[in-house]
């Protein structure tokens, strides 16, 4: 009997030992150490430069985490240093040694052939993103001065403009932009364009000078908001630099008077 008990204790000890070893082996396999390549490093917007050419990136007035958590660091870094940079470099290559090389971006957009898809996409992409990054700010700024007066006069209130702008942005199907423009008569209007088109181009539903634009491509918000586009639109709207929109408005009105 004693022999049987001794045999049982020895067998149980072996089973326990192998069982512990198996568990240890499983733990090692299931938790691999991160590799060096998986580390994400965020740089500085000041280090991002376009290749030599006619157009340069607009300077971002805040660091990549400046709008977080509304627009998070990785979204801002990818949008500015990858998407915007690519539009700019491709535009510079496309216009090299052509009639467009020394033109302003506004003139290029007004004159380009819409069948020239590469120039259309990248000239639009450059102009649109330059406006987008210029008009974002970490501060909360509301419209005042000349623009505030015109918004109240033409939309009834700032709240009405907000509802119209956000409403059109929410309804925009697929990639595109929603704009606040000064039309050919000097009136403020909200309008939309698909892809990287904008109201300066020949196909605009409401031609005019953009003074504010929201990027509704998924690359602008998908990492942060996935399918919740409305939350991105609200976040963007909280970070508009209305002082700069006012400056754009004054300049756009001057162009209307010259026509
Ligand atoms: Fe974009």
């Amino acid at each position: 009997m004693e022999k049987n008990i001794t045999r049982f204790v020895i067998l149980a000890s072996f089973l326990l030992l192998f069982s512990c070893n198996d568990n240890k082996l499983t733990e090692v396999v299931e938790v691999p150490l991160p590799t060096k390549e998986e580390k994400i490093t965020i740089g500085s917007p000041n280090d991002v430069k376009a290749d030599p050419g006619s157009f340069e990136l607009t300077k971002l007035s805040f660091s990549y985490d400046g709008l977080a958590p509304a627009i998070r660091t990785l979204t801002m870094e990818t949008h500015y240093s990858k998407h915007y940079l690519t539009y700019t470099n491709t535009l510079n290559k496309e216009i090299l040694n052509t009639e467009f090389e020394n033109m302003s971006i506004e003139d290029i957009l007004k004159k380009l052939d819409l069948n020239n898809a590469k120039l259309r996409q990248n000239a639009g992409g450059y102009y649109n993103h330059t406006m987008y990054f210029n008009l974002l700010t970490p501060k909360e700024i509301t419209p005042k001065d000349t623009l505030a007066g015109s918004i109240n006069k033409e939309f009834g209130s700032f709240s009405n403009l907000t509802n119209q702008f956000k409403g059109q942005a929410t309804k925009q199907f697929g990639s595109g932009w929603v704009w606040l423009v000064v039309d050919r008569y000097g009136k403020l209007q909200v309008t939309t364009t698909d892809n990287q088109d904008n109201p300066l181009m020949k196909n605009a539903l409401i031609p005019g000078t953009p003074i504010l634009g929201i990027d509704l491509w998924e690359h602008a918000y998908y990492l942060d908001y996935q399918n919740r586009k409305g939350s991105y639109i609200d976040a963007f709207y909280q970070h508009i630099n209305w002082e700069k929109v006012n400056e754009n408005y004054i300049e756009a009105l001057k162009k209307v008077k010259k026509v």
Side-chain angles (χ1 to χ4, degrees), residues 132 214-216 220-221 225 228-236:
Y132 181 83
I214 179 171
D215 186 345
L216 295 166
Y221 65 88
Y225 295 102
R228 292 173 289 118
K229 191 167 81 169
S231 299
Y232 159 67
I233 295 165
D234 289 341
F236 168 85

Side-chain angles (χ1 to χ4, degrees), residues 1-231:
M1 182 69 180
E2 278 183 9
K3 277 185 181 175
N4 283 342
I5 290 171
T6 306
R7 282 180 191 151
F8 174 77
V9 169
I10 292 169
L11 182 63
S13 300
F14 269 109
L15 285 172
L16 186 64
L17 184 65
F18 280 113
S19 166
C20 288
N21 283 343
D22 281 348
N23 285 342
K24 278 179 187 171
L25 187 65
T26 305
E27 281 173 19
V28 170
V29 170
E30 286 181 352
V31 189
L33 291 170
T35 62
K36 210 174 180 182
E37 290 74 24
E38 285 171 332
K39 284 184 183 170
I40 295 172
T41 51
I42 302 291
S44 162
N46 294 331
D47 296 335
V48 184
K49 306 276 185 240
D51 297 335
S54 299
F55 296 101
E56 294 178 358
L57 303 186
T58 193
K59 195 170 157 37
L60 201 61
S61 63
F62 49 87
S63 56
Y64 290 134
D65 62 357
L67 304 188
I71 298 176
R72 289 190 296 184
T73 311
L74 187 58
T75 297
M76 190 58 68
E77 197 253 1
T78 308
H79 204 175
Y80 183 83
S81 72
K82 306 286 190 306
H83 294 279
Y84 180 34
L85 180 66
T86 302
Y87 289 124
T88 308
N89 284 336
T90 311
L91 169 65
N92 283 338
K93 272 187 201 158
E94 280 304 298
I95 61 174
L96 191 66
N97 300 322
T98 73
E99 58 177 317
F100 299 111
E101 190 172 9
N102 296 310
M103 277 187 201
S104 69
I105 186 62
E106 289 83 0
D107 282 343
I108 294 174
L109 292 165
K110 286 173 190 171
K111 290 177 181 173
L112 65 80
D113 177 359
L114 294 173
N115 292 316
N116 184 343
K118 201 166 182 185
L119 182 59
R120 176 178 173 178
Q121 287 159 4
N122 290 285
Y126 173 74
Y127 177 90
N128 299 350
H129 285 84
T130 300
M131 174 162 282
Y132 181 83
F133 288 115
N134 260 333
L135 292 180
L136 285 171
T137 176
K139 299 173 197 164
E140 275 200 32
I141 297 174
T142 52
K144 49 189 177 186
D145 304 325
T146 312
L147 179 61
S150 295
I151 288 171
N152 286 332
K153 193 174 157 195
E154 296 178 34
F155 290 92
S157 66
F158 179 57
S159 173
N160 286 349
L161 166 65
T162 301
N163 290 338
Q164 203 180 124
F165 190 91
K166 287 186 177 180
Q168 292 215 32
T170 305
K171 281 190 287 185
Q172 169 68 22
F173 186 75
S175 300
W177 292 72
V178 168
W179 306 95
L180 180 61
V181 299
V182 175
D183 72 12
R184 64 183 73 178
Y185 308 108
K187 192 171 179 294
L188 288 167
Q189 297 220 47
V190 176
T191 187
T192 67
T193 55
D194 291 333
N195 303 314
Q196 293 296 357
D197 288 351
N198 65 51
L200 292 169
M201 292 179 175
K202 292 169 189 165
N203 62 339
L205 288 172
I206 299 178
T209 305
I211 62 170
L212 166 68
I214 179 171
D215 186 345
L216 295 166
W217 284 56
E218 286 185 347
H219 68 231
Y221 65 88
Y222 207 82
L223 284 174
D224 298 344
Y225 295 102
Q226 296 83 50
N227 61 322
R228 292 173 289 118
K229 191 167 81 169
S231 299

